Amino acid sequence: MTNTNPPHDDDNNDGNDGNDDQQQQYEDVGPLIQPIAPSAIQRIVAGQAVTDLSSAVKELVDNAIDAGAGRVSVKLYDQGLEGIEVSDNGSGVP
């Protein structure tokens, strides 16, 4: 079956479908890294089997590599009991 509907237009008569505004938003953000919200962490962990410190660190490093990182730094606070910090120079996961 052939789709006969025209492409979506954002109705501002510029001939674009609205993606230029979205692209501009991303370009204006820059390389700032923000902490992950606790609610997002809960959703991420719910989909992952993190059973111990090493698997948690492995998952975070894998995410950094998937984001195109060439440099990854891992810090453990109180041997990982108080916290884990992973920072990288990746561009984010699409």
Side-chain angles (χ1 to χ4, degrees):
M1 177 178 252
T2 303
N3 184 358
T4 58
N5 294 329
H8 173 72
D9 190 350
D10 60 7
D11 294 330
N12 65 3
N13 298 322
D14 63 359
N16 292 321
D17 61 4
N19 289 335
D20 288 341
D21 292 336
Q22 188 176 30
Q23 183 65 29
Q24 184 64 33
Q25 256 183 335
Y26 292 126
E27 290 173 6
D28 291 342
V29 171
L32 299 176
I33 298 174
Q34 300 296 322
I36 299 174
S39 60
I41 292 171
Q42 291 171 352
R43 288 194 312 266
I44 292 167
V45 172
Q48 304 293 329
V50 178
T51 57
D52 55 49
L53 178 62
S54 64
S55 63
V57 172
K58 178 189 178 299
E59 184 63 34
L60 293 169
V61 171
D62 284 346
N63 290 349
I65 293 168
D66 289 345
R71 185 180 64 242
V72 180
S73 171
V74 178
K75 293 181 183 178
L76 302 177
Y77 297 96
D78 191 19
Q79 300 178 1
L81 296 173
E82 292 296 319
I84 305 166
E85 179 180 318
V86 177
S87 56
D88 62 72
N89 65 344
S91 60
V93 178

